[in-house]
Amino acid sequence: MLGRVLCLHALWVLASCHDVARADRSSGSDNAPQFSDDAADDEFCALQQTARRTDASVGAAALGRVTVGKTGTFELDGQEVVLLGGNYVVKAAPYFPPLDVVHRDAKAMAEGARAMAYSPSASANGSPRKVLPVVRLGALFEAAMPERGGATEEDLATEIDQDWATKLEDVVAAFAAEGVYVFLDIHQDAFSTTNGGEGLPWWMAAHMQETATEGESYIVSPEHPMKLFVTEATTWLLQELGVPVPYVQTVADENGPDHEDPWRAFSVGSNDGNPQLMNLGNPSIRLNNNDHAWSQGTLLFTMQVQNIAYRFYNSYLDASDRKHLFDPYVAFVLHLCRVWERHPNVVAVELFNEPPAGGLPNLFGKAVNTRHDLFGFYGEVLRVLGDATPAVRAPIAIEDLFGTLPDANPLLTAVLIDSLPAAAASQLRKWASQGQLVLSFHFYPGFATTVDFPRMVQLAKTEAAKLGDGVPIWLSEYFDGTAQHVADNLASAVELGCNAATFWQYADINYTNEQGWFKYDPEIAAKGGPFDSLTNKINAAAWPAYEETVRNGTFWGGEITGGSGAQMDVLKLVPSRSTLSSRSALKAAAAAAAPGPAPHGSSGTSGTSGSLAFPAAERLSAHTPSVPWRSPAAAAAAAA
């Protein structure tokens, strides 16, 4: 208790916070959206009429449903299985690759799963476990509800964009046709395009700004410039912890395009571009959401993200925010649950990728309650889904703050209130008892995770047991620099006790000719792309042409918020257990023989390949290669 108090006091001083009591909010429980049989039937009929049905539906019908077993395993036809694969997340429009690319990728994944030398150790009852290929498919809220929505105030923003819905169904069916399973991931990073991230529809951040009562910032604009909550004292703390100190950059610093008014382009209310594209088209934003800046944690330290996080997690408690924020989100989650019903290859729906902490710099009044608020939000989502008609049968996957786990970082454990609201804990136990709860977690050594990988898996098992009986654990993100190390770590994860594992990330680089899900016109690629990863600056030679593609809608995907560093053909490389053990022993011996201290996070524990314990500053190694990758065209341009 004393340690917690001392840490709280220290961070209170460092953040220069004020202990402001949380404003009373009405529960708004009577305002929960009512979902009827008629609504579900209308949605299904509309999709049947608009979706392109191909032979993929035959493959979908042939795949059996993977379920959650009573002992916290994934099962197919009563037999325990292991799900292995990669993330498949396009962070900007068109949000999914063409169907022929999806089929090609899915076929390669399925063939890789059949070709791998790895055979998991036997289940608890001694029976063999089969490996099934799986993807964590990004389903972005901003794509599903790009506009404020309904024709009247009563149906405001609860309608799913039918073009996007059709594409999602077709992509899921394409994976099924090739024998690949799917986790549906409500992906986000730093919440909204209006502050450089992706995930929540831009109009949600705009609504928060329109209804701000104390001048707080929720969007980035000329009136609300991007601003960090970091003080001189917190800078010192970060330096002591070995964490890179974030800082905001603008094109004014380099006298680049838009240098006189760096936050205007694509901002809300500026009439200078669609705010949904601010994360791509505003050059100052790109200086702060590129992979290098993302590794520094820049966006997560902004006042905009801190304010959105606090308000969004508490949106169900306020009648107006419930209507404009919470209800549309639950409608989106419910839509994905209905997709689960129509496609047997969908395993679960994941509620939220890497939920950021919120409420800083108000430490005692808001920030220390972040985890409590997040799980209160989860609990209310589960309660509303539980009341839906027809009943929701899809398993729901949840992540803790940052995608990490309690006790993975002693400092965070000390300063965050870790008790869950009673109502939320009850809902979690209920969904677990129904075989409908999965614990998702990430492993990125750094500020949020200071333990090694074997310890991280044990923490996941412990946390899953606290949530309820029979909760599987899923390593939903991790990164390594080579395909072979990524493959080794898939096997290591299973042998340590994970029921599923998906690496960050799979992208068809033969299709994009880049290191992730983003493409450029030949003219732009020949000039090196819009952002120079060697200098971490806007590429002035290519930027005007690139910005024009953003404005006219001909861009493809986005190299933002850790979107690069992709791999292909990983599953076929997963080694046998004997090979894995040999590699682990060699790496442990090499580490023991090396002079100097052991790398941060390394334990030399047998059973892990070692590369999952790589030293990193959160996402720097995690999403950015040590030598920045360039497309052949960009490399040729640089050489010239």
Side-chain angles (χ1 to χ4, degrees):
M1 177 62 73
L2 178 61
R4 177 186 288 270
V5 171
L6 290 174
C7 287
L8 287 173
H9 177 71
L11 284 185
W12 176 77
V13 173
L14 295 175
S16 302
C17 306
H18 301 285
D19 187 7
V20 180
R22 185 178 311 177
D24 291 335
R25 295 171 179 261
S26 61
S27 68
S29 59
D30 293 338
N31 296 322
Q34 302 298 311
F35 300 107
S36 67
D37 289 287
D38 290 342
D41 290 343
D42 290 345
E43 179 188 59
F44 182 43
C45 290
L47 283 169
Q48 281 186 315
Q49 292 169 3
T50 59
R52 299 183 306 277
R53 297 306 172 206
T54 68
D55 290 339
S57 61
V58 177
L63 282 183
R65 172 78 72 187
V66 169
T67 59
V68 175
K70 293 182 179 180
T71 58
T73 58
F74 289 114
E75 296 182 356
L76 176 63
D77 298 328
Q79 297 296 313
E80 183 179 348
V81 296
V82 171
L83 298 163
L84 296 181
N87 280 255
Y88 205 85
V89 181
V90 183
K91 296 195 173 194
Y95 299 107
F96 303 112
L99 282 181
D100 62 323
V101 175
V102 177
H103 275 284
R104 182 175 68 206
D105 293 341
K107 183 177 180 180
M109 294 175 197
E111 291 175 347
R114 291 190 292 268
M116 71 171 60
Y118 177 62
S119 177
S121 56
S123 64
N125 64 11
S127 61
R129 296 188 293 171
K130 181 180 180 180
V131 172
L132 300 178
V134 71
V135 294
R136 183 177 184 241
L137 178 63
L140 273 66
F141 190 11
E142 68 180 56
M145 292 186 185
E147 304 296 337
R148 289 185 189 249
T152 69
E153 182 71 7
E154 294 304 313
D155 62 357
L156 173 69
T158 58
E159 297 178 354
I160 302 296
D161 181 83
Q162 289 302 304
D163 288 341
W164 177 86
T166 296
K167 290 179 181 178
L168 173 64
E169 301 257 351
D170 287 347
V171 168
V172 170
F175 278 116
E178 307 297 343
V180 177
Y181 285 84
V182 173
F183 286 104
L184 292 176
D185 158 36
I186 301 180
H187 204 87
Q188 72 81 38
D189 293 290
F191 283 110
S192 178
T193 64
T194 57
N195 53 261
E198 83 283 335
L200 296 189
W202 70 269
W203 49 264
M204 283 193 167
H207 167 77
M208 295 184 197
Q209 193 62 66
E210 292 164 1
T211 54
T213 58
E214 298 178 2
E216 63 271 30
S217 295
Y218 295 96
I219 63 172
V220 174
S221 69
E223 296 75 26
H224 298 275
M226 183 179 289
K227 181 181 179 181
L228 303 182
F229 74 83
V230 178
T231 65
E232 291 184 6
T234 45
T235 296
W236 171 84
L237 175 63
L238 292 173
Q239 291 172 334
E240 288 296 305
L241 292 171
V243 177
V245 178
Y247 57 94
V248 172
Q249 300 181 72
T250 71
V251 289
D253 299 331
E254 54 188 72
N255 200 33
D258 302 317
H259 66 276
E260 294 182 353
D261 200 353
W263 306 118
R264 177 168 297 281
F266 297 90
S267 64
V268 173
S270 68
N271 296 316
D272 188 15
N274 184 351
Q276 186 169 343
L277 306 178
M278 190 178 188
N279 57 348
L280 302 176
N282 183 295
S284 288
I285 287 287
R286 292 299 293 270
L287 287 173
N288 297 283
N289 73 358
N290 65 79
D291 280 9
H292 180 77
W294 182 247
S295 74
Q296 307 290 307
T298 301
L299 295 185
L300 299 182
F301 282 94
T302 63
M303 293 301 302
Q304 283 84 354
V305 167
Q306 291 297 310
N307 289 332
I308 291 176
Y310 175 76
R311 188 163 169 184
F312 188 70
Y313 299 157
N314 288 282
S315 60
Y316 69 98
L317 296 171
D318 177 86
S320 177
D321 279 357
R322 186 177 186 108
K323 181 175 184 178
H324 291 87
L325 305 175
F326 182 80
D327 287 354
Y329 170 80
V330 173
F332 177 53
V333 176
L334 182 64
H335 174 83
L336 297 183
C337 291
R338 301 309 184 202
V339 173
W340 178 94
E341 294 171 4
R342 293 190 284 272
H343 296 270
N345 66 318
V346 178
V347 179
V349 175
E350 188 175 16
L351 290 186
F352 215 75
N353 175 69
E354 294 182 359
L360 288 170
N362 186 342
L363 180 61
F364 289 114
K366 295 180 179 180
V368 295
N369 294 297
T370 292
R371 187 169 186 263
H372 188 273
D373 294 343
L374 173 65
F375 276 85
F377 176 87
Y378 283 160
E380 182 63 4
V381 171
L382 294 177
R383 187 194 69 78
V384 176
L385 292 178
D387 291 341
T389 304
V392 170
R393 297 179 294 122
I396 299 296
I398 62 169
E399 290 185 34
D400 215 310
L401 285 174
F402 303 112
T404 188
L405 295 166
D407 297 322
N409 182 305
L411 179 61
L412 291 178
T413 301
V415 301
L416 294 173
I417 293 177
D418 56 8
S419 62
L420 305 186
S426 177
Q427 286 293 331
L428 292 166
R429 288 192 299 269
K430 174 185 174 182
W431 282 70
S433 69
Q434 298 168 171
Q436 289 181 266
L437 192 64
V438 177
L439 176 62
S440 167
F441 71 102
H442 296 177
F443 186 70
Y444 292 121
F447 176 62
T449 301
T450 60
V451 300
D452 65 16
F453 184 58
R455 175 61 176 159
M456 191 70 168
V457 176
Q458 290 302 315
L459 290 175
K461 293 178 181 178
T462 300
E463 184 63 17
K466 290 180 181 179
L467 296 176
D469 295 332
V471 177
I473 61 171
W474 166 32
L475 173 62
S476 51
E477 280 192 31
Y478 70 93
F479 178 88
D480 209 309
T482 71
Q484 186 59 65
H485 286 162
V486 171
D488 290 353
N489 292 328
L490 284 174
S492 295
V494 174
E495 295 306 307
L496 287 168
C498 293
N499 306 103
T502 47
F503 64 89
W504 184 267
Q505 93 151 326
Y506 186 104
D508 194 321
I509 60 180
N510 294 327
Y511 170 69
T512 65
N513 201 31
E514 299 290 344
Q515 204 199 6
W517 287 118
F518 43 92
K519 286 170 62 72
Y520 302 119
D521 289 350
E523 173 194 356
I524 298 168
K527 294 178 179 179
F531 189 83
D532 189 337
S533 57
L534 291 175
T535 63
N536 296 314
K537 300 292 185 182
I538 296 295
N539 182 355
W543 182 264
Y546 173 73
E547 183 177 332
E548 181 58 27
T549 67
V550 177
R551 291 187 180 277
N552 65 28
T554 59
F555 70 95
W556 201 102
E559 187 182 6
I560 58 173
T561 61
S564 63
Q567 301 282 357
M568 293 181 67
D569 302 324
V570 169
L571 290 184
K572 69 180 183 181
L573 301 176
V574 182
S576 65
R577 277 178 282 150
S578 60
T579 302
L580 182 67
S581 298
S582 298
R583 288 179 183 164
S584 297
L586 287 172
K587 289 181 180 180
H600 167 77
S602 177
S603 68
T605 306
S606 62
T608 179
S609 69
S611 56
L612 269 178
F614 61 91
E618 196 61 28
R619 291 296 186 89
L620 183 57
S621 296
H623 282 57
T624 307
S626 57
V627 178
W629 186 94
R630 287 187 167 194
S631 68

